[in-house]
Amino acid sequence: MGKAGKALRQVLDIYGISQNKLAVTMGTGRPNVHRWVNEIRDPVADTVLEIRDALKKINPVAAQEFIRLYLGDADEDENHQ
């Protein structure tokens, strides 16, 4: 399981955003956020965008960090090829 969950957990911890706040902002249940953060279930691609959009409303910097962590550093990937 996943990169999205790891990225989301890091961002929530770093920026002090609760799973509940993210869930409310997204209009989803907290159990869904719990499953993603604990890597029980990966969010689908559309949901990753919804997570980003909700994080933007809470803290735009957190949204940028989530996408950076989720997609990884392109320069780092090129160096490993």
Side-chain angles (χ1 to χ4, degrees):
M1 289 273 156
K3 206 166 180 183
K6 287 178 184 164
L8 184 56
R9 183 181 328 113
Q10 274 188 271
V11 166
L12 295 182
D13 287 346
I14 291 168
Y15 294 93
I17 301 167
S18 71
Q19 291 180 24
N20 191 59
K21 182 162 183 73
L22 179 61
V24 168
T25 304
M26 289 181 70
T28 191
R30 197 191 69 74
N32 289 327
V33 177
H34 172 83
R35 287 183 202 104
W36 304 326
V37 168
N38 291 290
E39 301 176 55
I40 296 165
R41 182 170 295 137
D42 282 331
V44 296
D46 287 348
T47 304
V48 170
L49 296 177
E50 290 174 22
I51 292 168
R52 180 206 58 195
D53 292 345
L55 286 170
K56 266 188 199 176
K57 291 177 185 175
I58 299 166
N59 182 333
V61 176
Q64 290 176 339
E65 182 68 3
F66 170 67
I67 293 301
R68 188 189 71 75
L69 290 168
Y70 178 63
L71 295 178
D73 187 343
D75 293 337
E76 185 178 298
D77 291 343
E78 287 175 11
N79 290 334
H80 291 301
Q81 290 180 0

